[in-house]
Amino acid sequence: MLAAALACAALAGALAACTSTPGPAPASSTSATSTSVSGTPTPTATPVLVPGGTAAENLAYFDYVNSQTISTAAAQNQTAGGVAFTSALRTGGFAIADMQVTPDITTVGVKADSIQFSVAMKGQCLVGQYGFGQYHSLVAPLLGTGKCLIGDTRAIDW
């Protein structure tokens, strides 16, 4: 009996030695505040538009404007649509002539599951997608058509 208990203890010890100790948790890349050495939270700088900048240089600002649009719509118990995104981007300083947006309503007359919107900048595109409560963005090369989105887009006439 004692031998069995010692064997179990030895096996448990051997298995424990085989497991790795978890390392520190990765830092979040989207935190709204950072902590200084004194432990006092300090606000993270709000992104700003870089006039004449590249799409990559303006991605953080693009995301900031779009996140604000989503938050504003949610506070009003609504879902942000194409008009809200493009209007906010225009107000934020992006040129409406450089934007594209997909329809909010499908060809069969129902609300689209997601919409895409873009801003062309210096041969690149800021592309955003919003649907199912999720927002995603990326920087992509301008297409050979001189546009950012493929497929049907709607006229931005508001």
Side-chain angles (χ1 to χ4, degrees):
M1 186 82 137
L2 180 61
L6 288 175
C8 286
L11 180 60
L15 289 176
C18 292
T19 61
S20 64
T21 304
S28 172
S29 63
T30 58
S31 66
T33 60
S34 60
T35 305
S36 65
V37 176
S38 66
T40 305
T42 53
T44 303
T46 301
V48 296
L49 179 67
V50 179
T54 65
E57 292 170 327
N58 283 294
L59 180 61
Y61 182 66
F62 180 78
D63 288 341
Y64 172 76
V65 170
N66 294 326
S67 294
Q68 294 297 312
T69 302
I70 294 165
S71 295
T72 299
Q76 298 169 356
N77 206 23
Q78 298 176 356
T79 300
V83 172
F85 284 111
T86 55
S87 295
L89 290 166
R90 175 179 42 211
T91 300
F94 291 99
I96 200 84
D98 297 332
M99 292 184 207
Q100 288 181 277
V101 63
T102 60
D104 293 339
I105 305 296
T106 68
T107 57
V108 294
V110 296
K111 185 176 185 254
D113 290 335
S114 67
I115 62 166
Q116 292 77 39
F117 42 93
S118 65
V119 180
M121 304 183 85
K122 292 194 166 194
Q124 295 180 314
C125 299
L126 291 166
V127 180
Q129 179 179 9
Y130 183 65
F132 299 106
Q134 299 292 312
Y135 169 76
H136 301 281
S137 68
L138 58 86
V139 173
L142 195 65
L143 299 172
T145 60
K147 303 288 184 180
C148 295
L149 301 179
I150 297 172
D152 290 334
T153 59
R154 62 194 273 201
I156 302 173
D157 54 6
W158 47 85

